[in-house]
Amino acid sequence: MRILLVEDESSLREPLAAYVRGMGHDVDEADSIEAAREAFFEAEPDLVILDVMLPEGVDAGFEFAAELREAGFENPVLFITARDTVEDRVKGLDLGGDDYLTKPFSLDELGARIRALLRRQGPVRSSVFERGPMRIDFAARKALWDGVEVPLSGREFALLELFALQPDRVYSAEELLERLFPGTDSGLKIVRVYVHRLRGKLGPEVVRTVPGGYRMGLEP
Ligand code: CA
């Protein structure tokens, strides 16, 4: 299998790469998102091992994972990071990660995770969310209403996906801005625009305005 390893600290990356090669895989190494993007387009990997804090920013790994998912990449992503808050884990998994390994970890543990991820590669992840008349197919990135597909842009789908992955969670407008439009300076207005668009396409109840922000409005 071909594995893309993204880690900026060479003292960590080099032994990891050697270990994974020892497992019999081809490893492309990258020390930045820029290098990772290049390697990715050269040969699509079967698995991406992704550090979170990279030269491009403290959340660069999360953002790159979201970018890969948006581009239709479906193979597993394993985050490796020193950060270990519940929020970080949830964020990583929300943004398209399949697993999360906290530094420091043993090489054997990494090996076990890699084997597990490569084994369950394929259409195994729970890929459908249903609520009321709405059905979301995460893998196909489609939303259906009463069985009819509702065309959504990539960003509209990403917004809907956030609510569907954690239907009881309230997202503040600031958080949605950061998740969906990282690095933008267009302000919170853009969040309201996208919420408005989703409501226009899927009905006013799909995203409910509540104290503190927004949440899924459709009841189970
Ligand atoms: Ca790092």
Side-chain angles (χ1 to χ4, degrees):
M1 297 277 192
R2 178 170 285 271
I3 295 181
L4 173 57
L5 171 61
V6 189
E7 165 62 63
D8 56 332
E9 283 179 60
S10 57
S11 63
L12 182 55
R13 188 186 63 248
E14 282 163 16
L16 291 185
Y19 182 83
V20 178
R21 285 193 184 101
M23 294 172 71
H25 300 295
D26 292 322
V27 180
D28 293 319
E29 296 178 50
D31 60 2
S32 66
I33 295 299
E34 197 191 350
R37 219 176 257 130
E38 223 169 271
F40 182 86
F41 286 116
E42 192 132 326
E44 184 163 305
D46 299 296
L47 167 72
V48 179
I49 301 173
L50 188 52
D51 184 21
V52 175
M53 285 177 73
L54 288 158
E56 281 89 352
V58 293
D59 272 342
F62 286 150
E63 288 157 16
F64 186 58
E67 181 186 319
L68 293 180
R69 293 305 184 216
E70 192 139 76
F73 180 69
E74 288 182 13
N75 292 341
V77 173
L78 168 62
F79 288 111
I80 49 172
T81 172
R83 287 158 39 176
D84 183 33
T85 65
V86 170
E87 201 194 357
D88 274 329
R89 281 168 182 265
V90 168
K91 185 170 185 178
L93 299 177
D94 270 2
L95 289 174
D98 295 271
D99 205 345
Y100 195 105
L101 201 50
T102 306
K103 299 174 192 172
F105 49 81
S106 73
L107 290 172
D108 287 339
E109 173 155 29
L110 176 74
R113 302 289 184 100
I114 289 172
R115 277 190 293 275
L117 285 170
L118 290 176
R119 242 195 329 264
R120 71 173 156 93
Q121 199 169 345
V124 184
R125 77 173 74 200
S126 152
S127 64
V128 172
F129 172 86
E130 285 182 291
R131 184 156 287 197
M134 182 172 70
R135 180 183 168 90
I136 300 172
D137 184 333
F138 296 115
R141 305 196 72 72
K142 281 182 179 169
L144 291 90
W145 192 271
D146 279 335
V148 179
E149 186 182 346
V150 179
L152 297 176
S153 73
R155 282 262 164 74
E156 288 165 358
F157 188 87
L159 177 61
L160 180 63
E161 189 176 31
L162 277 181
F163 290 113
L165 284 169
Q166 291 184 278
D168 297 322
R169 172 158 177 199
V170 174
Y171 290 93
S172 69
E174 289 79 7
E175 189 175 7
L176 292 176
L177 181 69
E178 196 191 306
R179 296 279 193 101
L180 295 170
F181 308 94
T184 183
D185 54 4
S186 54
L188 296 177
K189 185 182 61 191
I190 188 101
V191 173
R192 290 196 293 272
V193 167
Y194 272 80
V195 167
H196 182 76
R197 284 191 196 164
L198 267 191
R199 287 172 174 159
K201 291 185 174 185
L202 292 164
E205 277 302 298
V206 70
V207 179
R208 185 178 295 165
T209 304
V210 295
Y214 303 95
R215 56 163 288 179
M216 166 71 62
L218 295 168
E219 297 301 333

